[in-house]
Amino acid sequence: MNCITRLVGTAAIACSLGAGAANAADLSFMSFTYAEEANKAIVQTTLDDFKKAENLAVEPLGFAWGDMQKNIFLRARSKTLPDIAQLSERWLPTFASLDNLVDLNTVYGKDKLEAAFAPDALAMGNINGKQLALPLLSGSIGMVANKEVLAKAGINDAPRTLDEFKAALVAVRDKVPNSVPYTMATKNNGSILIDFMVWNWVHGGRIIDDSGKVVVDSQQSRDALTFMVGLMKDRLAAPEIDRPDGRRLMGQGASAFYFDAPQTRTFLRDFSGKGEAFDVNVLPMPTPVLKAEDKPVSVQWGHLLVQFADGGKAKADDPADKFLTYLTSDKVQTDFPLKMSALPVTKSARDAVAGDAYLKNWSAATGDARRNEVGIWSNAAELTNVIGEEVQGALLGQKSADDAVKSMQARLTASMEKAKKSE
């Protein structure tokens, strides 16, 4: 069957669907979701369905989230890049300079992409006017609570302010034995960045402004880091906690709060061992604010799909591009993101799933969803490591919050200046 409009109803990417004989693997797909035990089967089903639809076989390459960037660069050097790779939205600037990265506007057409995708989702893959990625799923990173743990601590309502939040943490610490009230990220620099960035926003601070100037050396940033250090000292958070640890503790009823993306529901189903029956305990909530009149904040979040091809050139009827078209079709977008507890990325798919109560509650709790102010820069990996190291140093008592912020300012400034010179 040949088609002209196949991405999302009438607003779609032009494509040609001639079915040729499938090879053992017609294209490769590098994915961190495929490496997650809770989600591997979901991805495999999608790949199997694509093979049935297009007679094209996909070789899945699963790598842990924390290893993806390193492995993509290693493959770039050895000229073994996959055809399609899944990225976290914050990683895209890091790969923008790779010669083999395809500007998907040249494949599908800018106007057709804009007609098909939700603007907020499509914007995650756009850098300097080039559509270097298509969105796969979207949402935000915000606060999540375990209602069962809150009930055990005698807490009826989600805390709205920092004072209420800290009081809730104390209640959990004192009334729920062997718990970590807030599984704040205290290891893995990529995870630490998110917690610090959100609390910094809550306190009115910034790390890097829109012009690229480092502005973290402020009283607001000191207050944010001091707040985080205080949580550690008061045993309201714990050392050696990464996002997967937080998910496990939340699912096992040993934690009350943490930051995560909407797909947390899928992880918690798995870690609890209760499946969908655990959903009643998952509470998306606005991030607590400094003052009652402040607007809650969250971080823009999503998964992206990038294509690598010789010279960055591709056509809509190439196997890899048919795969992209399939992943962003209504068939997949009204199913796959929901299984991952995330929002679809196309306009028609979002309309089709508007009645999902969990996603509706998540959207209501999002507040001011801000772009990751570190991940958008080409030297994002180095910036992330600097922030993670300095925050962790303060959390572990190796330096004061004041010294950590001063050092962060100096190191981030040096990194930004070096990055500008190399452009």
Side-chain angles (χ1 to χ4, degrees), residues 49 128 176 194 257 317 395:
D49 289 346
N128 297 327
V176 182
I194 295 298
F257 303 96
D317 59 355
L395 294 178

Side-chain angles (χ1 to χ4, degrees), residues 130-395:
K130 293 183 177 182
Q131 197 64 43
L132 299 181
L134 292 183
L136 174 63
L137 47 83
S138 63
S140 62
I141 297 177
M143 182 67 76
V144 185
N146 184 322
K147 292 171 67 176
E148 183 178 35
V149 175
L150 295 185
K152 289 180 180 179
I155 302 165
N156 298 318
D157 300 310
R160 297 179 299 107
T161 65
L162 286 189
D163 288 341
E164 292 176 359
F165 179 60
K166 192 165 184 179
L169 295 179
V170 170
V172 173
R173 180 196 65 191
D174 295 344
K175 296 180 181 180
V176 182
N178 302 314
S179 65
V180 180
Y182 162 38
T183 47
M184 179 171 67
T186 51
K187 72 175 182 181
N188 186 337
N189 294 334
S191 299
I192 292 172
L193 165 66
I194 295 298
D195 286 58
F196 174 68
M197 185 163 56
V198 173
W199 292 126
N200 199 24
W201 289 342
V202 168
H203 285 83
R206 293 284 301 274
I207 300 172
I208 302 173
D209 69 16
D210 296 341
S211 68
K213 181 181 179 181
V214 179
V215 293
V216 74
D217 191 354
S218 68
Q219 187 57 49
Q220 290 87 346
S221 296
R222 285 175 173 76
D223 291 345
L225 188 50
T226 298
F227 168 74
M228 295 172 71
V229 170
L231 297 181
M232 286 282 285
K233 287 182 177 178
D234 293 337
R235 295 185 293 107
L236 305 177
E240 294 299 307
I241 296 289
D242 192 6
R243 204 73 65 211
D245 304 302
R247 292 164 178 160
R248 175 176 54 80
L249 291 169
M250 284 281 285
Q252 295 174 354
S255 181
F257 303 96
Y258 80 147
F259 285 116
D260 207 354
Q263 66 177 144
T264 187
R265 181 177 66 174
T266 302
F267 289 112
L268 296 179
R269 288 172 175 174
D270 184 59
F271 280 118
S272 68
K274 299 178 180 179
E276 293 183 9
F278 191 78
D279 289 359
V280 296
N281 299 317
V282 185
L283 176 65
M285 57 172 276
T287 302
V289 294
L290 186 62
K291 296 175 290 187
E293 63 270 22
D294 292 346
K295 186 173 184 179
V297 295
S298 61
V299 186
Q300 290 180 352
W301 169 88
H303 292 181
L304 302 177
L305 298 164
V306 295
Q307 181 180 3
F308 298 107
D310 290 342
K313 305 296 183 183
K315 297 180 296 183
D317 59 355
D318 290 341
D321 296 282
K322 288 185 178 181
F323 184 53
L324 286 178
T325 300
Y326 183 78
L327 292 177
T328 50
S329 66
D330 272 357
K331 174 178 172 58
V332 175
Q333 281 295 306
T334 55
D335 179 62
F336 181 81
L338 270 67
K339 287 179 178 176
M340 299 293 292
S341 299
L343 287 169
V345 296
T346 60
K347 294 175 182 177
S348 61
R350 283 192 178 181
D351 289 342
V353 303
D356 186 285
Y358 173 75
L359 294 179
K360 185 179 292 187
N361 291 337
W362 191 282
S363 296
T366 295
D368 180 13
R370 303 182 183 181
R371 195 169 189 177
N372 186 319
E373 62 184 10
V374 173
I376 62 174
W377 304 105
S378 61
N379 56 329
E382 183 176 12
L383 298 173
T384 297
N385 286 335
V386 168
I387 293 166
E389 289 166 5
E390 295 298 340
V391 170
Q392 190 173 51
L395 294 178

Side-chain angles (χ1 to χ4, degrees), residues 32-108:
F32 53 85
T33 300
Y34 189 78
E36 296 164 350
E37 196 59 39
N39 297 315
K40 183 175 182 178
I42 297 173
V43 178
Q44 187 61 57
T45 296
T46 303
L47 303 186
D48 293 343
D49 289 346
F50 171 70
K51 184 176 181 180
K52 292 175 185 176
E54 300 292 349
N55 197 29
L56 294 169
V58 181
E59 178 189 7
L61 306 170
F63 289 93
W65 185 88
D67 295 331
M68 281 288 291
Q69 295 184 80
K70 174 184 66 179
N71 278 288
I72 289 176
F73 280 119
L74 287 173
R75 285 172 171 265
R77 287 198 289 269
S78 63
K79 301 187 186 306
T80 57
L81 282 166
D83 296 293
I84 303 295
Q86 176 189 18
L87 302 183
S88 174
E89 93 295 331
R90 76 193 76 158
W91 300 341
L92 184 59
T94 306
F95 301 111
S97 62
L98 290 180
D99 295 336
N100 288 352
L101 191 60
V102 177
D103 177 1
L104 295 162
N105 280 336
T106 66
V107 178
Y108 301 116

